[in-house]
Amino acid sequence: MEILAELEPSKDPDELIERARILAGIYDWIDIPDSPLGIPSINSLLASCSLSINVTNRIISHIRLIDLNRIAFNSIIKTLALVPLKRIVFLRGDPPRKNASIINDVDPEYALSYAKTRIRDKEFGLLLSMRKSWNEISERLSLQPDFTLILNIRSTNSNMLNMLRNEAKTRRIKTYAYIVIETSRNSHLLRGSVNRLSLFNEKEAQDYIQKLSAFLDGFLISVPGDFNYLVELGRKLSRR
C-alpha cells in the first residue's frame, strides 16, 4: 500500500520546501493541488518542478485544463521533458471564483492521450469518481491512465470495488482513493467546501483505509489546515 500526502499551497517558499521535506520522509508521494475550488493559489506545475529539484522527484503535479488554451497546453507538454517530476494529473478543474475566463480547448481525456504519445518517462493520471455508473468508470479506465485519483469513495460498495480492482489490475493502472480528513483544528475550514463523500473524521479515516486497502493501491491523504495531523497520520500508516 502506498500513501500519498496532499501538500497545501503556502505563500512562504521556505515553509513550502520545509513541509515537503518532512512529508517526503514519511509519505511515498507528495501531491500538489492546483487552485482548488477555483481560488488562485501557487501554480502546481511550477511548485512541483521546484520541489522535484530541491526535495524529491516523487511529486504529483496537477494541471487545470479549464485555464489553458491549446497552445499553452502544448507548450507545457513540450517543457515537461526538462523536469524530473514523475507524475502529472490532468483535470478539468473547478470553475474560477474570480473574474476569469473558462477555456474549453482541452479536456482531460485528450490531454492524457496527447501526453502519453509524446513523453515516455512520466506517469499520467486522471480523476475517477465512484458516483459514476460502472460503464462510465470502465470507459475511463479504458483510456489507460497510469494511475487514478478516486473521488467520492463513500458512494461505492464492495462489489464495485472488486470490479475496479480487477479491471485496474488487468490494465496495470494504480488506484488511489482521495481521503479528506476533518479534525478539531480544520472543521471550520471544511464546512460547506468539501464533498462529504470524500470527507472523514479521524477515526473513520483510519478504519476506511484499513477496510479498503485490499481493493486499492493506496490513499491520497488531505488534511487542510492541519499539517501536524497529516504528519502524525502518515507516521502511523507508514508503520503498518
Side-chain angles (χ1 to χ4, degrees):
M1 180 182 76
E2 291 182 298
I3 51 172
L4 291 54
E6 182 179 84
L7 178 58
E8 282 187 274
S10 172
K11 295 179 181 178
D12 183 342
D14 293 332
E15 180 183 63
L16 186 73
I17 289 173
E18 178 58 27
R19 288 188 168 190
R21 284 180 175 147
I22 292 170
L23 295 177
I26 302 169
Y27 285 87
D28 297 296
W29 294 86
I30 300 173
D31 180 90
I32 313 294
D34 196 13
S35 298
L37 304 178
I39 300 171
S41 65
I42 62 169
N43 180 273
S44 175
L45 186 57
L46 291 175
S48 297
C49 291
S50 175
L51 294 176
S52 68
I53 293 168
N54 293 295
V55 180
T56 175
N57 63 2
R58 296 180 71 79
I59 299 287
I60 303 173
S61 176
H62 290 209
I63 297 180
R64 273 172 53 95
L65 300 168
I66 199 171
D67 301 326
L68 301 175
N69 66 21
R70 192 173 296 271
I71 291 175
F73 170 75
N74 290 355
S75 296
I76 286 171
I77 296 302
K78 291 177 184 294
T79 308
L80 284 177
L82 301 176
V83 295
L85 70 91
K86 292 185 175 180
R87 286 181 168 179
I88 297 97
V89 176
F90 295 118
L91 67 156
R92 175 68 179 153
D94 298 310
R97 293 283 185 92
K98 302 292 184 180
N99 186 22
S101 300
I102 293 175
I103 301 173
N104 295 307
D105 281 10
V106 182
D107 60 33
E109 296 77 18
Y110 171 83
L112 176 74
S113 174
Y114 185 89
K116 284 175 72 71
T117 60
R118 285 160 177 79
I119 301 177
R120 302 297 181 186
D121 66 339
K122 314 290 184 201
E123 295 181 3
F124 296 102
L126 295 174
L127 303 184
L128 177 67
S129 173
M130 296 308 293
R131 296 181 73 178
K132 302 289 186 180
S133 69
W134 172 250
N135 285 341
E136 291 173 299
I137 291 171
S138 180
E139 182 178 354
R140 197 154 185 81
L141 293 175
S142 72
L143 299 173
Q144 285 297 140
D146 297 296
F147 65 99
T148 60
L149 301 182
I150 299 172
L151 308 178
N152 307 314
I153 195 67
R154 278 188 187 273
S155 63
T156 193
N157 54 52
S158 58
N159 183 51
M160 186 79 84
L161 285 168
N162 263 318
M163 291 191 292
L164 173 65
R165 176 180 59 187
N166 293 338
E167 182 145 355
K169 184 177 180 180
T170 298
R171 296 182 179 278
R172 298 183 180 180
I173 299 169
K174 295 278 190 179
T175 54
Y176 304 104
Y178 183 56
I179 303 288
V180 183
I181 301 176
E182 182 177 26
T183 70
S184 58
R185 295 187 189 94
N186 72 3
S187 59
H188 66 289
L189 298 174
L190 301 180
R191 194 171 300 120
S193 65
V194 175
N195 189 323
R196 305 302 295 187
L197 293 174
S198 292
L199 187 62
F200 301 81
N201 64 38
E202 296 171 41
K203 184 178 185 308
E204 285 178 326
Q206 295 188 56
D207 290 344
Y208 259 79
I209 287 169
Q210 183 174 1
K211 174 184 174 182
L212 300 180
S213 60
F215 300 99
L216 303 167
D217 293 293
F219 299 86
L220 170 56
I221 309 298
S222 173
V223 195
D226 194 346
F227 181 75
N228 290 337
Y229 184 74
L230 179 63
V231 172
E232 177 188 333
L233 179 60
R235 287 176 174 151
K236 287 179 182 177
L237 294 174
S238 65
R239 290 195 292 265
R240 290 186 176 180

